[in-house]
Amino acid sequence: MKPVVIIPTYISATRRRRESREVVGSYDHTTAITQSGELGRCLASLEGVDDLGLVVVLVAADAGLENQAAEKVRAVAAAHPRLSVLVIGAAELALVRQRMEQLNIGRLEDEVGLRGYSAVRNLGLVVAITLGFDAVVFLDDDEVIDDPAFLKNAMYGLGKLTKKGIPILAKTGYYLNDQGSYLSKWEDKWYNRFWQQGRAFNAWISRAMQGPRLSRSNHVCGGCLAIHKEAFKRLAFDPWITRGEDLDYMLNLRMYGSDIWFDNRWVLRHLPPETQSEGDRFRQDIFRWIYEYRKLEYSRALIDLQQVKPASLEPYPGPFLEPGLTRRIRLTALLRSLARPDKRAYRRAAKAATGEASAYAEANCAKYFEFQYVWPEAMARLDSDQMLTTALVRSCLMEPVGGAAGDVGGGAAAGGAAARAVGAGAPVAAPSTSVDPGLTCEIRLNIAE
């Protein structure tokens, strides 16, 4: 296997952002343009990982900060010369879109880009297939990897068959929090009576940790996620989900006849900064769960998809995809507005449950399935594309190609620079490594034995 490690990072004008009414482009935490953030710590921990090849950092930034953010991240990456890092910012996104237009794919501006969790991940998948990698390992910038065998564990079993002949095309590990525990810290308080998400998750992961190394997963850690090319060339992340795009990807895989596997020996530490607004984050969760519920309902009318029912997702996340969801969410937001510090934001969240969130879900629940008709063909055309590979690597290395690399200033000049870069020069190879997925008593090689 030739994996690439992909790390999204989110840059804003300030760490604590003003109240945002955005649905898709709102994030759990961002790094202020003037602050060092957590990315450097993550990259430093990767220096101790065996057989590490290319690391791609995707830079999502506030409007007007795109170029400055990319320069900031390049400086962070330069402080770790032992790593091979490509920084993908707005300039490189312009190259991708230009090449997509040349290949008659279209721009897919909402679906592939640097705004929204899923669009950013989809851009990572596009970069991976363009550069010729056959596996992607997603990390988050607020994580620390302590195990030198981290990448070997990530690849364990990927692309192989179970004893029953089922291919393992995606897998997840788990996080340890700042207390060294894999359990959720959400407490069983009275204000969570109608929303026992922490308890349900803890019940699931406790059972999974006691089982075999690889088991079918009901949960996905987006910052500890490995996807085989056979999966990501066919299935994209959903750009219309507000957060929880990792768990949504698992549901999408099931709808399209595949699955995600849980590896209880693949672990890292998740050390996020303080949540900017607990209530606003729950508002995003409201949009997420109501959208997910409506999307699964809609999928049952599509005859070419597998039905995914809440009963198959016990003890988590099934209870959060059942009828009565809107009422339970609204009650939880109201109760938390009485007891939690972020009272005003929780009241806004309660209001959104019966208004904006339901309307958003109704308006967007069919779009992902339409996008899925386009994605496989787009990925097939971009697979190992030498022109785009050359342009991306040169741009990331700040080598001028027909103009200033990375210059995506306004109007036709930006498009012209992108077109010249995409069409110029000999192929440039991206660094890679090979990791053996292994042969164990739990899996067998997908070859004649």
Side-chain angles (χ1 to χ4, degrees):
M1 298 292 294
K2 293 183 178 179
V4 57
V5 172
I6 297 182
I7 308 174
T9 191
Y10 301 90
I11 310 295
S12 62
T14 61
R15 167 76 87 177
R16 184 167 293 280
R17 305 178 71 181
R18 297 187 301 273
E19 172 192 341
S20 174
R21 306 303 295 178
E22 272 201 272
V23 176
V24 172
S26 181
Y27 309 111
D28 290 348
H29 75 84
T30 58
T31 297
I33 192 69
T34 57
Q35 295 179 340
S36 58
E38 292 74 34
L39 177 63
R41 181 184 66 189
C42 179
L43 293 178
S45 72
L46 283 172
E47 291 179 341
V49 173
D50 296 337
D51 300 316
L52 186 70
L54 183 68
V55 177
V56 173
V57 181
L58 307 171
V59 186
D62 283 352
L65 288 179
E66 294 93 345
N67 292 339
Q68 189 179 353
E71 288 301 314
K72 167 189 168 68
V73 172
R74 285 192 178 96
V76 173
H80 303 277
R82 293 174 58 188
L83 302 179
S84 298
V85 181
L86 291 184
V87 177
I88 303 294
E92 291 70 38
L93 174 59
L95 299 175
V96 170
R97 287 181 170 163
Q98 183 68 35
R99 185 59 177 154
M100 289 169 72
E101 287 187 351
Q102 291 176 356
L103 295 173
N104 296 317
I105 296 170
R107 293 176 67 87
L108 300 177
E109 292 188 6
D110 293 330
E111 295 87 348
V112 178
L114 288 170
R115 177 182 171 274
Y117 287 123
S118 290
V120 172
R121 289 190 185 273
N122 285 340
L123 177 59
L125 298 180
V126 164
V127 171
I129 203 166
T130 297
L131 299 181
F133 290 97
D134 54 17
V136 165
V137 177
F138 278 112
L139 301 179
D140 289 334
D141 64 358
D142 56 2
E143 296 172 337
V144 173
I145 292 86
D146 300 310
D147 185 1
F150 177 83
L151 198 60
K152 181 179 180 181
N153 286 333
M155 292 298 100
Y156 175 88
L158 198 66
K160 300 299 184 267
L161 299 178
T162 68
K163 290 180 181 179
K164 295 182 179 179
I166 300 170
I168 299 171
L169 298 181
K171 56 176 285 193
T172 185
Y174 65 97
Y175 303 147
L176 295 177
N177 58 30
D178 56 0
Q179 298 174 358
S181 173
Y182 54 76
L183 299 175
S184 170
K185 293 193 289 185
W186 264 105
E187 299 176 333
D188 185 12
K189 297 290 188 178
W190 61 269
Y191 48 76
N192 289 326
R193 176 183 176 185
F194 300 101
W195 199 256
Q196 297 288 346
Q197 188 171 348
R199 177 193 287 180
F201 169 76
N202 288 344
W204 176 81
I205 195 169
S206 295
R207 186 172 64 191
M209 292 297 290
Q210 299 301 315
R213 174 167 183 175
L214 293 178
S215 60
R216 277 195 178 88
S217 186
N218 280 12
H219 175 69
V220 183
C221 298
C224 192
L225 173 63
I227 310 176
H228 193 281
K229 180 179 177 180
E230 288 302 310
F232 68 71
K233 75 179 185 180
R234 295 173 182 162
L235 203 71
F237 287 87
D238 184 342
W240 293 276
I241 196 160
T242 55
R243 61 188 305 270
E245 78 290 346
D246 43 8
L247 180 62
D248 177 77
Y249 195 76
M250 182 269 290
L251 298 175
N252 296 335
L253 278 169
R254 289 196 181 187
M255 284 189 282
Y256 284 89
S258 191
D259 223 325
I260 279 184
W261 295 75
F262 179 71
D263 184 341
N264 61 18
R265 297 188 196 172
W266 186 29
V267 61
L268 51 73
R269 285 188 291 145
H270 186 211
L271 305 173
E274 183 182 354
T275 300
Q276 297 172 23
S277 171
E278 187 182 290
D280 283 345
R281 177 170 173 167
F282 190 65
R283 179 179 180 271
Q284 293 299 102
D285 257 342
I286 288 173
F287 276 84
R288 163 209 183 171
W289 288 110
I290 292 177
Y291 172 81
E292 198 77 83
Y293 174 79
R294 184 69 187 90
K295 176 180 167 183
L296 289 179
E297 270 196 332
Y298 182 87
S299 73
R300 295 184 187 117
L302 304 177
I303 60 174
D304 56 337
L305 298 184
Q306 301 288 329
Q307 289 197 14
V308 179
K309 298 181 179 179
S312 68
L313 298 165
E314 294 289 345
Y316 178 85
F320 308 95
L321 295 168
E322 294 175 343
L325 174 71
T326 300
R327 175 179 174 274
R328 290 169 54 209
I329 284 177
R330 186 171 183 274
L331 284 171
T332 300
L334 289 172
L335 291 175
R336 289 185 182 179
S337 75
L338 301 175
R340 299 297 298 174
D342 206 356
K343 293 177 171 55
R344 182 181 174 188
Y346 272 119
R347 288 194 293 270
R348 288 196 304 267
K351 185 178 180 181
T354 54
E356 301 167 84
S358 295
Y360 178 86
E362 187 67 29
N364 294 288
C365 64
K367 292 182 178 178
Y368 176 72
F369 304 104
E370 297 168 0
F371 173 42
Q372 270 302 117
Y373 285 111
V374 177
W375 178 259
E377 180 62 25
M379 295 296 271
R381 295 185 186 185
L382 289 166
D383 194 350
S384 301
D385 185 85
Q386 294 290 0
M387 285 189 176
L388 184 53
T389 295
T390 299
L392 286 177
V393 174
R394 286 184 172 177
S395 179
C396 291
L397 295 176
M398 300 303 292
E399 295 179 12
V401 182
D407 182 6
V408 287
R420 290 192 296 274
V422 168
V428 176
S432 65
T433 188
S434 181
V435 180
D436 185 359
L439 175 63
T440 76
C441 60
E442 291 139 327
I443 54 177
R444 63 179 173 83
L445 290 171
N446 188 12
I447 57 175
E449 297 181 42

